[in-house]
Amino acid sequence: IPEGTYNYTIGSVPGYSVNPSSGSITLDRNMTVNVKFTNLNISNLDKFNVTFYESGLPIGLSYISPKITWSVSLNNTTLTTNSSSLTFLNLKAGNYSWVTHTVNVTGAYYTPHPASGKIFVPIQSIVKINYTGYAKVNIEPDNSLFGNVKPSGTHWYRIGSTVNLTAVPGYECTFFDWAGTMEGFGNLDSPNTTMFVEGPGNVTAEFATAVVIRETGIPQAAHASYIWGITVTPLSPLAQAAYYGSELFLGLNESGMFMWGTSSSPSSTPIKAINSSDIILYLTNGTYKITAIPGNNQQIPPIYYSPTAINRTITVNAQMLTFDIGYVEGVPVNFTETGLPKGTPWAIEINGTYY
């Protein structure tokens, strides 16, 4: 044998233990390695057990479907279990080959390491197998017309790993939030975030498109502010509303997107604009009711203005919308009737004008 360093393994002999069973030698001269075999005094009547232990499988979790089972084949015998160990009983002394397999469940699979091997009974009576899981995760935008995501599509990720997510809004759109069946997000409200992979699931980047509402009819007096506003009520189940805040909007102390409400939890707080003719909303696809509220020119004495149309219904479908709300000088007066059957028309006359 040429000079160098070599690893060696001593083959097993039925009925005997060996010491050392393996090692390393460096050859630069003649060398002798002493190997000792010890008779185990095993007869053909002796029986032994071999136990296989797994780690890494989600044994016993109720949400895993179908229920986790794994198996080992030892020579020509296969055992299957849904616990963390399985034992082959009453084995004679000798050499055995074993093999285990990938475990498949809905949306995930688990690969074993090692997947096969050889043991000499009774010298080796325990084998440990570690499983690594991979989960199916689908990542998509809620509407490809609003934007896209990176990565996109269906991917298999190692369970326990962290994935970077990026949402890229389209023209005249903005990122809204992350949604879906996955948990463990770094920041649901950031277009650049991370996701911890706990198992199979779906991830959706939700986008919104711009809706510009412009008032007309309120003049801006010199050295005086003017104010007007709206309320937004999402009407369809998936509709979500937000608006872009800045120093021109009341009640905000920073710029940025602000969640406004959903159809199941609408906001009644008005969005008001000071010295700005525009209010910019960001809305997901859906139907909304826009209610205009009175405005005023804050000179002394103030002049009040009423919207010419109080309520308006709009439908957002991946396209920017712009519309006007007209104002006329005057204080709004609301008359509320009670007692008439629903749908019965009635009117009011004020200074010769019927309403």
Side-chain angles (χ1 to χ4, degrees):
I1 300 177
E3 293 184 356
T5 299
Y6 298 86
N7 296 320
Y8 68 87
T9 300
I10 307 300
S12 60
V13 177
Y16 290 84
S17 65
V18 60
N19 185 36
S21 60
S22 62
S24 177
I25 58 174
T26 299
L27 298 180
D28 55 7
R29 63 186 184 281
N30 292 336
M31 180 174 291
T32 299
V33 177
N34 295 315
V35 179
K36 182 180 180 180
F37 286 88
T38 302
N39 192 332
L40 298 175
N41 297 317
I42 299 173
S43 73
N44 285 333
L45 298 179
D46 291 330
K47 305 294 183 180
F48 304 92
N49 298 336
V50 174
T51 301
F52 289 79
Y53 293 92
E54 72 79 24
S55 61
L57 290 177
I59 296 291
L61 295 183
S62 59
Y63 63 83
I64 298 295
S65 176
K67 192 173 183 179
I68 285 282
T69 61
W70 59 289
S71 62
V72 175
S73 298
L74 188 69
N75 283 5
N76 295 320
T77 301
T78 299
L79 295 181
T80 300
T81 183
N82 56 18
S83 67
S84 59
S85 66
L86 55 80
T87 300
F88 291 85
L89 302 174
N90 301 322
L91 300 176
K92 292 182 179 181
N95 288 306
Y96 292 81
S97 297
W98 64 269
V99 62
T100 188
H101 308 282
T102 296
V103 175
N104 294 289
V105 296
T106 303
Y109 67 90
Y110 298 81
T111 58
H113 180 79
S116 62
K118 295 182 178 182
I119 59 173
F120 175 59
V121 177
I123 298 302
Q124 188 176 3
S125 61
I126 292 177
V127 179
K128 295 181 179 181
I129 302 171
N130 180 59
Y131 284 87
T132 301
Y134 296 87
K136 182 181 180 180
V137 180
N138 188 56
I139 307 170
E140 298 289 351
D142 62 341
N143 189 321
S144 60
L145 297 177
F146 279 7
N148 58 70
V149 292
K150 299 178 182 179
S152 178
T154 300
H155 304 269
W156 290 89
Y157 294 113
R158 180 177 57 82
I159 295 175
S161 64
T162 299
V163 178
N164 293 322
L165 300 175
T166 301
V168 182
Y171 178 66
E172 295 178 340
C173 297
T174 187
F175 170 76
F176 201 81
D177 63 9
W178 295 98
T181 59
M182 297 295 291
E183 298 180 359
F185 285 96
N187 186 345
L188 286 173
D189 300 322
S190 172
N192 300 293
T193 191
T194 58
M195 172 189 66
F196 182 76
V197 180
E198 297 178 312
N202 298 300
V203 177
T204 302
E206 296 187 323
F207 295 94
T209 192
V211 175
V212 180
I213 302 172
R214 180 174 296 114
E215 69 80 17
T216 61
I218 303 179
Q220 183 172 4
H223 310 295
S225 299
Y226 74 97
I227 185 172
W228 65 286
I230 60 171
T231 62
V232 181
T233 304
L235 299 180
S236 51
L238 298 181
Q240 298 182 85
Y243 69 98
Y244 185 82
S246 73
E247 68 278 6
L248 299 179
F249 293 94
L250 292 182
L252 305 177
N253 53 18
E254 59 181 326
S255 296
M257 290 295 298
F258 292 83
M259 182 67 181
W260 198 247
T262 65
S263 59
S264 60
S265 180
S267 173
S268 59
T269 304
I271 305 171
K272 295 183 178 181
I274 298 176
N275 295 341
S276 173
S277 60
D278 294 342
I279 291 178
I280 303 174
L281 301 174
Y282 284 95
L283 308 179
T284 59
N285 281 353
T287 304
Y288 302 82
K289 181 175 74 173
I290 308 297
T291 301
I293 59 178
N296 65 80
N297 196 319
Q298 295 182 315
Q299 63 190 42
I300 299 176
I303 301 175
Y304 293 93
Y305 294 84
S306 300
T308 56
I310 296 177
N311 294 311
R312 176 169 181 165
T313 300
I314 64 171
T315 298
V316 177
N317 187 21
Q319 184 176 359
M320 180 178 177
L321 297 176
T322 300
F323 65 89
D324 294 342
I325 295 178
Y327 281 83
V328 294
E329 185 175 341
V331 178
V333 178
N334 294 320
F335 291 84
T336 303
E337 68 81 19
T338 59
L340 288 177
K342 185 177 181 180
T344 301
W346 60 288
I348 295 173
E349 184 267 330
I350 299 177
N351 289 342
T353 302
Y354 285 85
Y355 298 88

